Amino acid sequence: MSEQILTTLGGLGLFLLGMMVMTDGLKALAGESLHSWLTRFTHSPSTGAMTGTVATAVLQSSSATTVTTVGFVAAGLLTFPQALGIIFGANLGTTVTGWMVAVFGFKLKIGAAALPVIFLGAMMRMFGRGKWKELGKAIAGFGVIFLGMSFMQEGMAGFRGTVTPESFPPDSFFGRLLLMGLGAVITLVTQSSCAGVAISMTALSVGAINFHQAAAMIIGMDVGTTVTAVIASIGSSQAARRTGFSHTIFNVFTAVGALILLSPYVWALNSWSPGFVAASPELALVGFHTLFNLAALVVG
């Protein structure tokens, strides 16, 4: 059992390391372009939402987008309404990572194939010049992410039959609230909602939790990720503090809407394609994550 725990934790560590390395490489590639994107294409909350979605999808980090945005607000480079649009859009942009993990990490099982990708990225980092060095860093990080996913799946597979959905709060209203709290804590500990989503997907894939439990945890992770923006706004300008506070309020209301949407979503998905949730729970989960963030962005 201890071997499975160490393998799972090691896989999580590799996943987080890969996310950091890939994000650093992508941020270096973007360079001053990030400032240009956020200011040039953000003229209103709606255009800001599109900018935030695209920027987060490119950087693979909602934290990078939110912290940068709060900094720009504090410096007077963005107005409060513009910043709100960008941060709200970041919620949707971060779901791209979930799709990437669900498709490549679970459906294609590219854990072994990640090794040559890591080697390629390392060689580009060592011998490349200029932007090629940063691209190599991003590619290596990409490979490490899926190597970590492979170890996480291997480690959690050892808990099959030992850790079951009955080990967690039941699928009731209060049970879902507790699972949301657990999801928020996971995000606070890992400082990455993407890592939390990967943990939930992996646990779901080995039967440690059921779909409703995983979905409730994902909802909580969206709330937990607001802490980054709040911390970044502490001691800053009033507009920056308002941005961090508004992000929290928005995500809390998004969480309420997601809880209401969860059961109808499962019913509609099973009506459209009977057995889909059971056959492809990871895709169903990331689909739900995207749906409630998109719905919140449209309503907001």
Side-chain angles (χ1 to χ4, degrees), residues 79-188:
T79 65
F80 174 65
Q82 289 174 325
L84 283 186
I86 294 173
I87 287 183
F88 294 168
N91 285 351
L92 181 60
T94 197
T95 64
V96 172
T97 306
W99 283 106
M100 186 172 67
V101 169
V103 173
F104 296 111
F106 289 95
K107 294 304 176 184
L108 300 183
K109 307 292 183 184
I110 63 170
L115 296 175
V117 173
I118 296 172
F119 176 78
L120 172 63
M123 291 300 100
M124 291 175 63
R125 176 66 179 171
M126 290 178 63
F127 302 111
R129 293 288 183 270
K131 295 293 186 181
W132 288 102
K133 291 176 68 72
E134 302 304 334
L135 178 60
K137 188 176 182 179
I139 290 174
F142 180 82
V144 172
I145 286 174
F146 291 103
L147 183 63
M149 283 297 305
S150 179
F151 278 108
M152 285 175 63
Q153 291 175 48
E154 179 183 336
M156 285 196 179
F159 296 103
R160 194 185 300 272
T162 303
V163 179
T164 65
E166 286 69 32
S167 306
F168 295 88
D171 183 30
S172 62
F173 176 75
F174 291 107
R176 291 183 182 181
L177 290 181
L178 290 174
L179 287 163
M180 285 176 58
L182 176 60
V185 169
I186 291 173
T187 301
L188 292 175

Side-chain angles (χ1 to χ4, degrees), residues 43 76 78 99 106 167 172 189 192 203 216 226 228:
H43 306 292
L78 288 172
W99 283 106
F106 289 95
S167 306
S172 62
V189 171
S192 171
T226 62
T228 303

Side-chain angles (χ1 to χ4, degrees), residues 230-246:
V230 172
I231 293 175
S233 66
I234 293 176
S236 191
S237 66
Q238 182 180 7
R241 294 195 301 271
R242 287 175 63 197
T243 302
F245 178 73
S246 298

